[in-house]
Amino acid sequence: MKHIKTIAFDADDTLWVNEPIFTKTRLQFETILSKYFEIDNNLEHQLYEVELKNLRLFGYGIKGFMLSMIESAIELTQHKITGADIQNVINLGKEMLTHPVELLPGIQENLEWLKDNYQLIVITKGDLWDQETKIARSGLADYFDHIEIVSEKNASTYRTILDRYQINPSDFLMIGNSLKSDILPVCEIGGHAIHIPFHDTWVHEKIDKHTIGDFSFYELDSIADLKAYLNKK
Amino acid sequence: MKHIKTIAFDADDTLWVNEPIFTKTRLQFETILSKYFEIDNNLEHQLYEVELKNLRLFGYGIKGFMLSMIESAIELTQHKITGADIQNVINLGKEMLTHPVELLPGIQENLEWLKDNYQLIVITKGDLWDQETKIARSGLADYFDHIEIVSEKNASTYRTILDRYQINPSDFLMIGNSLKSDILPVCEIGGHAIHIPFHDTWVHEKIDKHTIGDFSFYELDSIADLKAYLNKK
């Protein structure tokens, strides 16, 4: 992999912990709603249905998630939820927005040596404001030459970014935890990709491995294995 | 102004109508709350106070505005607002998100001849998803070489964008309706700026004209006067 010149990282659940914060919030949301009806396993699915319906309007990110929690709460309590509990739901979202950024193990050490040898980029999907404040709070901003926050990660998104910085796809490596957003579209445009799975994945990011088809990409257990991979032939 | 090579446009209330949609929504919000208490002139100010407090967490855009309306409604009704009325507030926001994009007079005709003579950029502040969908709905995307959606418009934002596209500030002209976001920071980095005031300006974007100090910029009544200005000496 000695020809790689640019390495791009996904952010959420690649550089730092993200999905577990949503998972924890969903449980706290259930606790608020448990005053109104008996919670069953279906609640997570019902919330996801509302999120999915709103995605076209809200896009990704915590503010859209907050609005979807509020809408679900109104619907599932048959309009009985109190103003005080709606405020509790908003407060859950505000806690997410100020949650400390917890870096994944080995990230900082690896960025330290990578930055002297490669052009480094963050390519992250989501809400502009959320992602910018997270990057600032992470303390990682200075390791990266460019930070790209996009509304969707598909082949055309990657093509635009590579064109902007005049990067040849064959010199480009993307590292991320989502097969759908980080691996498949990069393979489609002829780039290289490394999948580092994370234990907790939002259902919306899950795709069947068949979708990847004949594209080849590497899977590493953690960023600790990256140096060995890059130094291979 | 014959040396200008790149012209950047603000979007909201420069390319298309925006603030009047917020103004209309604030009135509809007041109608919902008028069931709970007598509305006085102070309501708009109280909503702005909540918006301002939340700005640090939510950033600019409709989703943050929706959440601030909900929080204000809960606070101002002393938690008495019903779930059904919270849903009505959410529906107001959803209408904003799908509101038809109404171009300002003369925009399309002027972009038509500008695109053959200048590099054109949109530089707009706000929510990534909102702004991208508005650009798509506006039908203007193809006139622009680059679209830059940023979380804040200050000197450093403009410097980053000009560096990215290797634009010399003295060849650069910014056109917008906000002295604070479109004119002052561009003057600060040595660029040129044209202010085209819009009749309805969010209080947060208002600055005292003194702040501009000794910087010089042009003010035009409408885009119809742009061609004459660009052809001057």
Side-chain angles (χ1 to χ4, degrees):
Chain A
M1 279 290 138
K2 295 206 169 153
H3 54 283
I4 297 294
K5 291 180 186 151
T6 301
I7 301 179
F9 283 86
D10 167 54
D12 289 338
D13 298 323
T14 297
L15 296 176
W16 51 66
V17 173
N18 180 61
E19 191 54 30
I21 303 170
F22 279 84
T23 303
K24 188 180 98 187
T25 305
R26 281 188 203 100
L27 291 173
Q28 292 170 317
F29 177 62
E30 289 186 9
T31 306
I32 294 173
L33 293 192
S34 66
K35 291 188 221 167
Y36 298 91
F37 57 89
E38 203 170 326
I39 305 295
D40 61 24
N41 291 337
N42 217 14
L43 180 63
E44 189 180 334
H45 179 71
Q46 286 164 320
L47 172 57
Y48 177 61
E49 289 283 305
V50 175
E51 278 184 85
L52 205 60
K53 215 163 56 190
N54 284 334
L55 207 53
R56 189 185 55 84
L57 281 178
F58 298 158
Y60 300 95
I62 294 174
K63 294 191 290 277
F65 179 63
M66 291 166 77
L67 290 164
S68 291
M69 282 197 289
I70 296 170
E71 276 206 296
S72 301
I74 294 169
E75 190 183 318
L76 295 170
T77 63
Q78 294 165 315
H79 296 170
K80 290 194 187 69
I81 188 157
T82 64
D85 276 334
I86 298 273
Q87 186 62 54
N88 289 334
V89 172
I90 292 177
N91 293 345
L92 291 183
K94 287 187 169 182
E95 276 169 39
M96 295 177 80
L97 287 166
T98 52
H99 198 285
V101 176
E102 185 193 338
L103 298 186
L104 286 174
I107 289 296
Q108 193 138 13
E109 304 86 291
N110 276 282
L111 290 175
E112 195 62 57
W113 74 266
L114 285 169
K115 83 167 168 27
D116 296 329
N117 298 283
Y118 300 92
Q119 179 183 45
L120 297 183
I121 308 183
V122 175
I123 304 180
T124 175
K125 183 174 75 175
D127 183 276
L128 191 59
W129 193 271
D130 289 6
Q131 295 292 342
E132 281 191 1
T133 62
K134 270 196 280 191
I135 288 162
R137 282 179 286 144
S138 75
L140 299 181
D142 288 345
Y143 290 111
F144 294 97
D145 298 281
H146 306 291
I147 292 176
E148 294 286 336
I149 301 166
V150 296
S151 60
E152 196 62 87
K153 278 173 161 178
N154 50 36
S156 136
T157 315
Y158 285 101
R159 220 174 268 124
T160 304
I161 295 172
L162 268 60
D163 282 352
R164 174 176 295 164
Y165 301 115
Q166 295 164 300
I167 299 165
N168 194 323
S170 62
D171 303 336
F172 176 76
L173 170 67
M174 178 74 197
I175 300 176
N177 71 306
S178 166
L179 289 174
K180 180 182 174 184
S181 298
D182 304 319
I183 309 305
L184 181 59
V186 172
C187 292
E188 277 173 5
I189 65 159
H192 303 271
I194 293 183
H195 183 223
I196 304 185
F198 188 71
H199 60 87
D200 194 352
T201 305
W202 185 32
V203 56
H204 190 72
E205 289 297 318
K206 288 181 181 160
I207 54 169
D208 196 291
K209 275 217 175 183
H210 293 138
T211 322
I212 302 287
D214 291 336
F215 291 125
S216 79
F217 63 95
Y218 275 80
E219 189 164 297
L220 299 180
D221 282 340
S222 88
I223 197 168
D225 305 325
L226 181 62
K227 196 168 192 168
Y229 170 84
L230 287 167
N231 288 332
K232 269 201 288 189
K233 55 173 159 60
Chain B
M1 280 291 141
K2 298 209 167 148
H3 54 284
I4 297 294
K5 291 181 187 147
T6 301
I7 301 180
F9 283 86
D10 167 54
D12 289 339
D13 298 323
T14 298
L15 296 177
W16 51 67
V17 174
N18 179 62
E19 190 56 28
I21 302 170
F22 279 84
T23 303
K24 189 180 97 186
T25 305
R26 282 188 202 101
L27 291 173
Q28 293 170 317
F29 177 62
E30 287 185 12
T31 306
I32 294 173
L33 294 191
S34 67
K35 292 187 220 167
Y36 298 90
F37 57 89
E38 204 170 324
I39 304 296
D40 61 24
N41 292 336
N42 217 15
L43 180 63
E44 189 179 334
H45 179 71
Q46 286 164 320
L47 172 58
Y48 178 60
E49 289 284 305
V50 175
E51 279 183 85
L52 206 60
K53 216 166 54 191
N54 283 335
L55 208 53
R56 189 184 55 85
L57 279 179
F58 297 158
Y60 301 95
I62 294 173
K63 294 190 291 276
F65 179 63
M66 290 167 77
L67 290 163
S68 290
M69 282 197 290
I70 296 170
E71 275 206 297
S72 301
I74 294 169
E75 190 183 318
L76 294 170
T77 62
Q78 295 165 315
H79 296 170
K80 289 194 190 70
I81 189 158
T82 63
D85 275 334
I86 299 272
Q87 185 63 53
N88 289 334
V89 173
I90 292 178
N91 293 345
L92 292 183
K94 287 188 170 183
E95 277 169 38
M96 296 177 80
L97 288 166
T98 51
H99 198 285
V101 176
E102 185 191 340
L103 298 187
L104 285 174
I107 289 296
Q108 193 139 13
E109 304 84 290
N110 276 281
L111 290 176
E112 195 62 56
W113 73 266
L114 285 168
K115 83 168 169 24
D116 296 329
N117 297 283
Y118 300 92
Q119 179 182 48
L120 297 182
I121 309 183
V122 175
I123 304 180
T124 176
K125 181 173 78 175
D127 184 274
L128 190 58
W129 193 271
D130 290 6
Q131 296 292 343
E132 281 191 1
T133 62
K134 269 197 280 192
I135 290 163
R137 282 179 287 145
S138 75
L140 298 180
D142 288 344
Y143 290 111
F144 294 97
D145 298 281
H146 306 292
I147 291 175
E148 293 286 337
I149 300 166
V150 297
S151 61
E152 195 64 88
K153 277 172 160 178
N154 51 34
S156 137
T157 315
Y158 285 101
R159 220 174 269 122
T160 304
I161 295 172
L162 267 61
D163 283 353
R164 173 176 296 164
Y165 301 115
Q166 296 165 299
I167 299 165
N168 194 323
S170 62
D171 303 336
F172 176 77
L173 170 66
M174 178 74 197
I175 301 176
N177 71 305
S178 167
L179 290 173
K180 180 181 175 185
S181 298
D182 304 318
I183 309 304
L184 182 58
V186 172
C187 292
E188 278 174 4
I189 65 159
H192 303 272
I194 293 183
H195 184 222
I196 304 185
F198 188 71
H199 60 87
D200 194 354
T201 306
W202 185 32
V203 55
H204 190 72
E205 289 298 317
K206 288 181 181 160
I207 56 169
D208 195 291
K209 275 218 175 183
H210 294 139
T211 321
I212 302 286
D214 291 336
F215 290 125
S216 79
F217 64 95
Y218 275 81
E219 187 164 299
L220 299 181
D221 282 337
S222 88
I223 197 168
D225 306 326
L226 182 63
K227 196 168 192 170
Y229 169 85
L230 287 167
N231 288 331
K232 268 200 290 192
K233 57 172 157 53

